[in-house]
Amino acid sequence: MDGYGEAAAAAMEVEAEASPCAGLSSPVPSDSASPNSVSSRRLGLKNSIQTNFGDDYVFQIASSQEISTLAVSLSTNALKFYSPATGQYLGECKGHDGTIHEISFSVPSSPHVICSCSSDGTVRAWDTRNFKQISLLRGGASQEMFTFSFGGSSGNLLVAGSNAQVLLWDWRNSKQVACLEESHMDDVTQVKFAPNQQSKLISAAVDGLVCVFDTDGDIDEDSHLLSVMNAETSVAKVGFFGNMYQKLWCLTHIETLSVWDWNDGSRELNIEDARSLATDKWNLDQVDYFVDCHYSLPDDRVWLIGGTSAGTLGYFPVRNDPAGVIGSAEAILEGGHTGVVRTVYPAAGIHESLGQNRGIFGWTGGEDGRLCCWRSDEIAEINNSWISSSLVSKPQKKTKSRHQPY
């Protein structure tokens, strides 16, 4: 453990203090949560840790349930690891010399391996048992890596999104098998394999295009580009939903939301005023941005996760109903963060019901450098075992602009 890790561990032991908002566990009456809601609830802060001493951001959280580890990517270009049960600092991986855009415990049959991609033009794999780098894939000269995904019919493909290119490797031998460079005209911000059709690949980019590829056989754009959807503005995130994962939600960099049937390329919803619609569905501050969407397969429901500049989050249900396409906030996470929230990781996994995981709702991270754990309102007791809301000292704050993925 480095000097920071020892200091953080000491701080966690000394500063086991309850958060001022840790007691917010009961459902909120409809008149205090939203004028239109009968089921909104505020979620209590179970515990939180400061991931650093400085003015660094938490970009993304990933988890491996098999090895009970939380991974956090920071604006220091490092990955740090914590125990989700105790908050103990476990170690860190260093090697990237550019912004880390995405992290994932998704290497087939390798629960101890986490991958990351970065503006330094690399996709790297790390062994969390010793925090050492075990592989490196590099794009072309001056390329940045914004996103990656594992899939393919045989599970052997690693695909990454770069500067107007979609790059594919056979991850077993690190051999590049394709470079798709004619479908997008700008940075590729998202690549994802369809959950129930692993040969189908979705790519999305700053050019507003969402492309569907078939990755079977010898891949080329002439015969493997199946369809193109146009979101008409820069795409930030996409995700699959529906009982057959036939639908695609699409969040843009100007905070609009659209819903597509990606099999036939039809757009079913286009919500250009999503922020104002969400703001109207609670009586808290204005919704300034969207962090992500959450899909529950058992309920077949999608929530749009919106946040305020002060760090409050709301889960707003998305409905296929033009008259009330965004519903009243059904969960409110307040009091954990003091700045913009960058990432939300649900405890029950990305396809489970909202907050149904042994009393833990999930984890969040943001521009205040905090990693917060939220408890669902079914649990009354508060575990203070790893609360450390403030560490010993911080250096003088420095001005830092919000990171953009391009």
Side-chain angles (χ1 to χ4, degrees), residues 4-5 8-9 12 49-52 58 61-64 67-74 79-92 105 131 363 369-371 386 391:
Y4 162 75
M12 278 186 255
I49 58 175
Q50 195 79 24
T51 60
N52 51 68
V58 173
I61 301 168
S63 176
S64 174
I67 61 173
S68 187
T69 298
L70 281 180
V72 180
S73 61
L74 300 176
L79 296 175
K80 289 188 176 180
F81 300 87
Y82 299 90
S83 164
T86 66
Q88 179 185 359
Y89 172 79
L90 303 176
E92 68 179 338
F105 284 97
F131 308 109
W363 290 265
R370 290 183 182 177
L371 176 65
W386 56 277
L391 289 180

Side-chain angles (χ1 to χ4, degrees), residues 13-241:
E13 292 176 2
V14 172
E15 298 187 34
E17 58 187 32
S19 163
C21 296
L24 295 176
S25 60
S26 59
V28 176
S30 59
D31 58 352
S32 65
S34 167
N36 306 306
S37 173
V38 295
S39 59
S40 293
R41 55 182 174 145
R42 292 178 189 251
L43 300 179
L45 183 67
K46 185 177 186 291
N47 33 41
S48 78
I49 58 175
Q50 195 79 24
T51 60
N52 51 68
F53 287 105
D55 191 27
D56 304 310
Y57 297 172
V58 173
F59 282 155
Q60 194 176 9
I61 301 168
S63 176
S64 174
Q65 294 185 352
E66 291 92 337
I67 61 173
S68 187
T69 298
L70 281 180
V72 180
S73 61
L74 300 176
S75 56
T76 57
N77 307 331
L79 296 175
K80 289 188 176 180
F81 300 87
Y82 299 90
S83 164
T86 66
Q88 179 185 359
Y89 172 79
L90 303 176
E92 68 179 338
C93 295
K94 289 183 176 180
H96 285 298
D97 55 18
T99 300
I100 298 175
H101 291 290
E102 191 164 331
I103 59 174
S104 177
F105 284 97
S106 57
V107 180
S109 70
S110 300
H112 290 281
V113 176
I114 187 170
C115 287
S116 56
C117 67
S118 167
S119 289
D120 63 13
T122 66
V123 180
R124 302 174 190 240
W126 316 83
D127 190 325
T128 59
R129 292 168 293 190
N130 56 19
F131 308 109
K132 301 295 185 182
Q133 179 178 301
I134 56 177
S135 72
L136 181 150
L137 298 175
R138 191 180 298 276
S142 302
Q143 291 285 77
E144 297 184 63
M145 297 294 181
F146 299 106
T147 178
F148 69 92
S149 182
F150 287 90
S153 295
S154 301
N156 65 308
L157 293 179
L158 169 61
V159 59
S162 187
N163 305 102
Q165 293 183 346
V166 177
L167 306 171
L168 297 99
W169 290 269
D170 186 326
W171 65 266
R172 299 169 301 184
N173 57 22
S174 300
K175 178 183 177 182
Q176 186 171 322
V177 297
C179 175
L180 308 176
E181 53 188 355
E182 297 178 0
S183 299
H184 290 290
M185 299 175 290
D186 216 324
D187 296 342
V188 178
T189 55
Q190 292 275 271
V191 289
K192 291 183 183 294
F193 285 95
N196 64 335
Q197 298 183 57
Q198 279 291 295
S199 67
K200 300 298 191 301
L201 172 69
I202 300 285
S203 65
V206 173
D207 59 16
L209 301 182
V210 181
C211 298
V212 183
F213 298 95
D214 185 351
T215 61
D216 279 344
D218 295 329
I219 305 164
D220 65 82
E221 281 165 299
D222 291 337
S223 58
H224 286 74
L225 177 60
L226 303 180
S227 63
V228 179
M229 297 165 279
N230 189 355
E232 300 172 0
T233 188
S234 177
V235 178
K237 288 187 176 181
V238 298
F240 295 94
F241 71 100

